[in-house]
Amino acid sequence: MAIFACASAIPLLLLLIAIEIGSAAWPALSKAGLSFITSSDWDPVRESFGAAPMIYGTIVSSLIALVLATPLALGVAIFLSEFAPPAVRQPVAFLVDLLAAIPSVVYGLWGVFVLMPLMREHLMPFLADTLGLGGTPFFSGPAYGPSMLAAGIILAIMVLPYISAVSREVLMAVPRSQREAALALGATRWETIRDAVVPYARSGILGGVILGLARALGETMAVTMLIGNRHEISASLFAPGYTLASVIANEFAEATNVMHTSALMACGAVLFAITLIVNGLARWLVYKVAK
Amino acid sequence: MSVRPSGVQRAAADRTARSLGRRRAKNMVMLGVMYLAAALATLPLLLILGHLLYEGASSLSVDFFVKMPQPVGEAGGGLANAIVGTLVLIGIASAIGLPIGVGAGLFLAERKGTRYATLVRFLSDVLNGLPSIVMGIFAWQFLVRPLGHFSAAAGGVALGAMMIPLVTRTTEEMIRLVPTSLREAALALAYPNWRTSLTIMLRSALPGIVTGALVAVARIAGETAPLLFTAFGNQFWSTSLDEPISALPLQIFTYAISPYDEWHKLAWAGALVLISLVLIISLAARYATRSRFGRSGD
Amino acid sequence: MLRAADSGGPVTEIPDKVMSAPPDTVARPAPRLRAATFAPAGAEPSQTTGTRESESVRLSMDSLSAFFGDLQAVRDASVQFVDGKVTAIIGPSGCGKSTLLRCLNRMHETVPTARVEGTVTLDGEDIYARGVNAIEVRRQIGMVFQRPTPFPTMSIRDNVAAGFRVMGSAAPPRKQVDGIVEETLRRTALWDEVSSRLKESATSLSGGQQQRLCIARALATNPKVLLLDEPTASLDPLSTQKVEELVYELRGSVTVVIVTHNMQQAARVSDSTAFMLNGELVEVAPTRTLFTTPRDTRTESYITGRFG
C-alpha cells in the first residue's frame, strides 16, 4: 500500500543515514581508535585526529546554555501558567515561542555584531574585573569576544523557548486539586508553586530541559560564528573552543584529504550518537509524566 | 472569666504574624521575580528583531530583491539569486517531504496501536532530533560525493529529509482529530478503505495538515547547516537542480563572516528578509487554522 | 387515529399519511452483488415475522453469531426482514442490537478482532460468502448512525450525492444527479428547508436536519435495505418526530431495520419488532402482538419496564 511505503521511508532513511555516515567515518575511527575521543591533536597533514576539544566544547557550551536558560525558562513558564492575567499571557507566550522560529544564522549574525562587542566591552570586563573573577581559571585570559561563554549565551537564548514551552504545558497540566490542597493549608501563592505544583511537574520539566540540551548539542551556525573555532580545551570561558557541529561546518568544505573528511564524518557520527541518547532520555521523561 | 491570651500565646501569635508577614513579603518578591523573568525572556527577541529592523531596513531596497551580488568591495547589488535559490530548495524539499510525510502520517493514524506504527513513530522522532549538520553530511556522502559536484538537488534532499518527521507528526495528529464516526459513515456508503482515507479523512483534516506543512516549510527555510556542503552556494544566477545554488541563509552566513562592510549590510538585509519570510509563513499557518475553526458547526 | 388492524401495523397514532412511493422519475441502475441471477423471492411462510405468504423476504439472517475477539456479542440469531416493511430491534443497553445491525451490512468487521459466523442473505445471496465484496454489499444496504455524520468538507448537495462518487460507471449521469438530490431531499422533507442553500456546508444545519440529511444521503443511491442505528437518540423531540414520520413513509419502497432503545418509538413506526437480550434474539413478532401478547416472559418483563 502506498502509505505503508511512505511510512517505511522513515526507518529506511534513518538506516541509510546511519550507514552512509558510519561507513564514511570508519576509516578515521578505526585508525585513531580510542584516541579519537581522548586526544586533542588535530593534524590533517599527519592524519592524526583527536576530537576531545570538540566533545568538551559541545558539552560545556550546552551546559552553560542550560544553566543560564533553565531558571529563566522556568520563571517564564511559571509566570505564564500561574500568574499572568489572560491579556498578558497570549502575547508573552507568543513572543517567547517566536524565539524558536528565528533561524540559527540570524542568531549568529546578531551574536557577531551585537552580542560579542557587548560582551567584549562590558560583560567580560565586568566579570573579570568588577566581580574579580578574573583570577579564577574560569574567567581568565584575554577576552576578545569569540569564546565558550559567547556560544553558551547565544545557545541559552536559542533553547529558552523549548524549555519554556514544555514546562508551561506540564505546569498547566498539574491538577487544580494539588494547588487547592496547598492553599487550603495556608500556603501563599509562591509557596504553593514551590512546594506543590513544581514538584508535581518535576519529571516533565526535566524532560523539557533535556530536550533543550538535545537542541543545544546539535546547534551549528550560531555556535560556529561565536565560539572561535580553536582546537583547544581550556578551563576559561573567555577562551575560544570548538564543538562537534562547528568543526564540521568550518572545515568540511576545505578538508585537505580523505582522512580529514573521514575524521569530520566521525565527528558527525559521535554527534549523532550523543543526540540520539539525549533525545531518547528526554522523550522518556516527558512520556513518563504524560501517563 | 478572662479569655485574654497569655504572654506565651501572645508571643507565639506574634511570631506567626511576623512569619506570615515574611512569607507574604517573600510571595511578593517572587512574584516580582517571575515578572522579571518574563521580561528578560522576551527581551532577546525584541532586541534581535529591533536590531534587524534597524540594520536591515536601511540596506533594503528594490535592488535587493532584483539585483545580483556585486563583486566584493563594490556597493550595491542584491541577493536576488539567493532568494530564488531558497524558493527552489523549498520546492524540492516540499516535493520530497510533503508526500512522504502526509502518507506516513496517514499510515500512523490509521494503523495506530500496531507494533510497526509505534516503531515508525519512534523513529520519526529520532529523525526529527538529528542535528541539521548531520543531515548535511549525509546528503553530501549520498549525493555529492558520488556525483562529484555540489547540487541544488542534494540540498533539497537534505531539507526534504528534515521535513518528513515534522509533516508526519502534524498529519497524524490532525487525522486523529477527525471523528471515527465520519469514517464509518463513509464505509457504510460503500466507500472503499483507500477512498475513505483519501477523500474523507484526509480532506477533513486538510486545514490542519496544510498548517503543519507550512510550519515545516518555515522551519527549513531558515536552515543553513544542511546546505553548506550540498547546495554550497553560488554567486551566479542558477536554478538548475544539478548545480550549486545560492540560498538566503547561506549568503547571510558567508557575508556575515566576511571582512567587508558592504557585505555585512547585505547580511542584515538578508536576515530581515529571511525572518520576514519565516514569520509570514508561520502567521499564514495560524490564520489558516483560525478561519476554519470559526466556520465549523457543532 | 388508530389504523385498522393490519398484519403488523403500528399500534399508536401517527398522522395517517397515504403511503405512496415517490414517482420514479429517474431510472436508476439496480446495483448487483455479483454478476449472477437472483434467486427467486421465497414465498415460505415465516414464523419469525408472522406475515402473509405472498410477502417476500428481502433480507434474512440465519444462525448469526458475532464476536469481538473472544467476546460473543450476538448468539445464534435468526430473523427475516420482509420486503418493504419496517422492523424494529429493541432491547436493553448492551444487548447486542447495534452489533446485530452492523452485521447486516458487514460493518461489524471493520473493527479489528471482529468476527462473524453464520449467514446473512440478501435477495437469496449470502453476503458473507467467499468472494463477495463487502463494499458491494454496502452499496445495496444503507446505514444511518446514532450521531449525525454529514461530511464537513462537502456542501449539502454534495453530501446527498456522496454515494454516487463511489459507484463508478454505475452512477447516474451528471445531469441527473441534481434531480435525484432534489427528489431525495423532498422525500426526507428537507427540501423546503435547504433548497436555497444547497451549496452551503452541511455543518450549517441543525442536528435534526443533519440527521435527515444523512438519511437522504443513504437513500439517494436507492438501497434495497436501510439500517437505522438509534437515529433519533441525539435529536430533540421535534426532529425525532420528523424522522419517525420519514421512516413511516419509507414503508413499501425500502426495507427498514431500525434499532431503538425507545419502545414507544418501535411501537409507533414498525411493522414487526424483535426483542434482544444478552446477545440473544428472544422473540420476533408483529409489533402489535409483541407489545400486547408477548410469548416470552423476558419480553414481557422488558416491555413492562421491570428492567432495562
Side-chain angles (χ1 to χ4, degrees):
Chain A
M1 265 235 72
I3 57 175
F4 178 79
C6 289
S8 303
I10 292 176
L12 286 176
L13 183 60
L14 216 45
L15 201 63
L16 189 63
I17 295 176
I19 292 177
E20 292 282 347
I21 296 186
S23 60
W26 181 246
L29 279 176
S30 59
K31 180 163 187 221
L34 207 59
S35 75
F36 190 75
I37 341 184
T38 53
S39 155
S40 298
D41 182 31
W42 186 273
D43 191 339
V45 175
R46 269 188 305 120
E47 294 194 357
S48 160
F49 297 104
M54 280 77 92
I55 299 179
Y56 172 79
T58 304
I59 296 178
V60 170
S61 62
S62 304
L63 282 181
I64 297 175
L66 284 187
V67 163
L68 293 175
T70 306
L72 208 56
L74 205 50
V76 177
I78 294 176
F79 172 78
L80 286 172
S81 74
E82 310 290 320
F83 288 116
V88 172
R89 183 177 290 158
Q90 277 267 40
V92 173
F94 174 69
L95 286 177
V96 175
D97 289 346
L98 207 55
L99 278 174
I102 299 181
S104 181
V105 71
V106 174
Y107 273 114
L109 184 65
W110 182 80
V112 167
F113 291 112
V114 179
L115 184 64
M116 271 205 316
L118 212 72
M119 286 178 66
R120 185 173 47 234
E121 279 150 40
H122 300 285
L123 181 62
M124 284 166 162
F126 176 75
L127 288 169
D129 305 324
T130 320
L131 288 186
L133 292 170
T136 65
F138 300 116
F139 295 97
S140 62
Y144 296 125
S147 56
M148 193 68 78
L149 187 61
I153 292 179
I154 203 78
L155 279 178
I157 303 176
M158 293 175 80
V159 306
L160 178 73
Y162 294 94
I163 304 179
S164 162
V166 173
S167 302
R168 197 190 325 153
E169 244 185 71
V170 176
L171 285 172
M172 283 188 175
V174 173
R176 282 197 70 159
S177 49
Q178 294 286 319
R179 293 189 182 84
E180 286 172 356
L183 288 172
L185 280 174
T188 61
R189 204 77 187 281
W190 163 246
E191 286 163 353
T192 308
I193 296 171
R194 183 192 64 193
D195 299 329
V197 180
V198 172
Y200 192 93
R202 206 175 28 206
S203 321
I205 295 178
L206 191 59
V209 170
I210 299 193
L211 204 72
L213 175 65
R215 291 245 16 165
L217 291 171
E219 249 317 307
T220 314
M221 302 315 299
V223 174
T224 284
M225 291 160 91
L226 295 185
I227 202 168
N229 301 337
R230 187 89 66 80
H231 287 280
E232 263 173 32
I233 298 185
S234 168
S236 171
L237 296 180
F238 287 175
Y242 234 151
T243 66
L244 291 166
S246 50
V247 69
I248 301 175
N250 211 29
E251 299 188 3
F252 202 86
E254 286 136 15
T256 37
N257 50 48
V258 177
M259 204 45 111
H260 191 178
T261 308
S262 179
L264 292 170
M265 281 288 187
C267 289
V270 174
L271 189 57
F272 189 155
I274 295 180
T275 46
L276 218 66
I277 297 172
V278 173
N279 257 311
L281 193 61
R283 297 210 182 274
W284 177 70
L285 276 168
V286 176
Y287 167 71
K288 224 180 76 163
V289 123
K291 277 203 287 184
Chain B
M1 201 84 76
S2 149
V3 284
R4 286 173 58 223
S6 71
V8 171
Q9 285 174 317
R10 255 182 302 162
D14 280 342
R15 271 203 310 272
T16 317
R18 252 177 302 155
S19 117
L20 179 63
R22 253 203 306 269
R23 286 164 56 210
R24 276 229 185 100
K26 196 162 180 202
N27 192 49
M28 284 279 106
V29 167
M30 292 316 287
L31 186 60
V33 168
M34 295 300 136
Y35 267 92
L36 186 66
L40 272 178
T42 48
L43 197 63
L45 180 80
L46 298 172
L47 278 179
I48 296 176
L49 285 184
H51 205 97
L52 261 183
L53 275 169
Y54 172 67
E55 292 275 359
S58 54
S59 319
L60 263 189
S61 61
V62 179
D63 274 2
F64 182 85
F65 293 93
V66 183
K67 284 228 177 111
M68 299 283 301
Q70 295 283 61
V72 75
E74 289 182 32
L79 282 181
N81 59 341
I83 296 175
V84 167
T86 291
L87 292 175
V88 169
L89 287 169
I90 291 180
I92 303 174
S94 302
I96 300 173
L98 288 183
I100 298 183
V102 170
L106 190 55
F107 178 83
L108 289 181
E110 305 231 319
R111 302 274 196 277
K112 171 179 155 55
T114 63
R115 286 230 301 261
Y116 191 57
T118 317
L119 178 69
V120 170
R121 188 178 300 116
F122 169 70
L123 291 179
S124 172
D125 282 343
V126 168
L127 194 58
N128 195 28
L130 283 190
S132 54
I133 188 102
V134 172
M135 285 301 197
I137 56 177
F138 156 70
W140 181 87
Q141 175 75 4
F142 188 55
L143 283 178
V144 175
R145 190 180 209 175
L147 293 178
H149 59 265
F150 300 109
S151 60
V157 165
L159 291 180
M162 288 179 70
M163 270 187 90
I164 293 178
L166 296 172
V167 177
T168 302
R169 160 96 63 85
T170 48
T171 302
E172 184 196 350
E173 280 176 13
M174 288 300 130
I175 293 186
R176 291 243 289 251
L177 285 181
V178 179
T180 42
S181 54
L182 228 53
R183 186 161 182 274
E184 290 205 321
L187 286 176
L189 258 188
Y191 273 61
N193 253 316
W194 66 268
R195 196 98 188 235
T196 308
S197 304
L198 220 55
T199 57
I200 304 299
M201 306 300 279
L202 213 54
R203 249 178 93 174
S204 304
L206 203 58
I209 296 177
V210 167
T211 306
L214 285 177
V215 169
V217 166
R219 181 59 220 279
I220 60 158
E223 285 289 340
T224 319
L227 299 176
L228 285 173
F229 346 101
T230 48
F232 192 65
N234 193 331
Q235 44 172 319
F236 302 112
W237 179 270
S238 169
T239 49
S240 157
L241 290 185
D242 203 36
E243 285 173 24
I245 195 171
S246 180
L248 209 44
L250 272 181
Q251 281 306 121
I252 298 174
F253 177 60
T254 312
Y255 285 175
I257 58 177
S258 77
Y260 311 114
D261 271 339
E262 309 86 52
W263 278 8
H264 294 168
K265 286 205 185 66
L266 278 179
W268 283 111
L272 186 58
V273 171
L274 183 60
I275 255 213
S276 308
L277 183 67
V278 168
L279 275 181
I280 289 176
I281 299 180
S282 304
L283 286 174
R286 278 189 191 222
Y287 175 74
T289 336
R290 195 173 295 138
S291 62
R292 284 290 164 164
F293 282 150
R295 259 206 285 136
S296 73
D298 36 276
Chain C
M1 294 164 276
L2 284 178
R3 296 211 32 199
D6 200 7
S7 72
V11 181
T12 54
E13 33 186 278
I14 264 192
D16 196 7
K17 297 203 178 149
V18 174
M19 265 313 305
S20 62
D24 208 348
T25 51
V26 179
R28 272 170 269 176
R32 292 171 121 73
L33 270 177
R34 275 183 295 194
T37 51
F38 291 115
E44 316 89 82
S46 174
Q47 294 285 37
T48 46
T49 56
T51 53
R52 296 194 198 106
E53 287 188 19
S54 59
E55 292 177 335
S56 60
V57 171
R58 179 67 100 170
L59 185 68
S60 81
M61 174 186 279
D62 292 299
S63 302
L64 188 96
S65 295
F67 302 83
F68 290 101
D70 290 329
L71 179 71
Q72 185 162 17
V74 175
R75 294 168 211 289
D76 209 31
S78 297
V79 60
Q80 298 191 323
F81 304 100
V82 173
D83 187 23
K85 300 287 183 190
V86 178
T87 306
I89 306 182
I90 61 172
S93 283
C95 66
K97 38 190 207 294
S98 282
T99 310
L100 184 126
L101 193 77
R102 290 163 66 100
C103 289
L104 291 174
N105 66 345
R106 293 187 64 167
M107 280 299 285
H108 177 69
E109 62 202 49
T110 62
V111 176
T113 74
R115 205 171 30 105
V116 164
E117 286 170 9
T119 59
V120 173
T121 311
L122 175 68
D123 282 341
E125 296 189 61
D126 178 11
I127 66 176
Y128 282 101
R130 275 193 98 88
V132 176
N133 192 340
I135 302 195
E136 289 301 322
V137 173
R138 296 182 199 138
R139 288 234 179 103
Q140 312 204 42
I141 304 181
M143 189 165 202
V144 175
F145 300 86
Q146 191 169 327
R147 294 190 154 284
T149 52
F151 296 135
T153 55
M154 295 188 197
S155 67
I156 294 173
R157 177 217 175 267
D158 287 342
N159 257 281
V160 178
F164 295 132
R165 289 172 181 228
V166 286
M167 282 172 76
S169 49
R174 278 237 183 120
K175 292 173 285 180
Q176 294 180 351
V177 169
D178 280 322
I180 301 178
V181 168
E182 176 177 341
E183 185 194 317
T184 316
L185 286 173
R186 284 191 191 281
R187 215 171 154 193
T188 51
L190 258 185
W191 178 251
D192 293 329
E193 295 165 56
V194 303
S195 60
S196 57
R197 42 183 180 144
L198 286 177
K199 290 230 169 38
E200 276 179 35
S201 165
T203 51
S204 61
L205 297 174
S206 73
Q209 289 171 323
Q210 286 185 5
Q211 190 65 309
R212 279 183 283 149
L213 179 67
C214 291
I215 299 178
R217 182 175 67 189
L219 286 177
T221 51
N222 206 22
K224 296 179 181 171
V225 180
L226 183 64
L227 307 177
L228 304 168
D229 189 354
E230 305 206 34
T232 59
S234 57
L235 302 182
D236 59 275
L238 192 60
S239 306
T240 301
Q241 185 188 342
K242 289 198 176 168
V243 171
E244 286 182 10
E245 283 171 17
L246 172 55
V247 171
Y248 190 77
E249 302 225 355
L250 290 175
R251 173 175 300 112
S253 55
V254 188
T255 307
V256 178
V257 182
I258 174 169
V259 163
T260 177
H261 62 268
N262 183 336
M263 280 187 285
Q264 286 72 34
Q265 181 173 85
R268 282 192 291 268
V269 306
S270 65
D271 300 308
S272 317
T273 302
F275 170 63
M276 270 189 87
L277 181 63
N278 287 335
E280 187 192 329
L281 204 53
V282 172
E283 186 175 343
V284 184
T287 300
R288 169 175 257 153
T289 315
L290 191 99
F291 280 104
T292 52
T293 50
R295 264 175 302 143
D296 197 299
T297 48
R298 289 172 291 176
T299 319
E300 193 190 336
S301 301
Y302 180 69
I303 60 180
T304 53
R306 259 181 235 141
F307 69 89

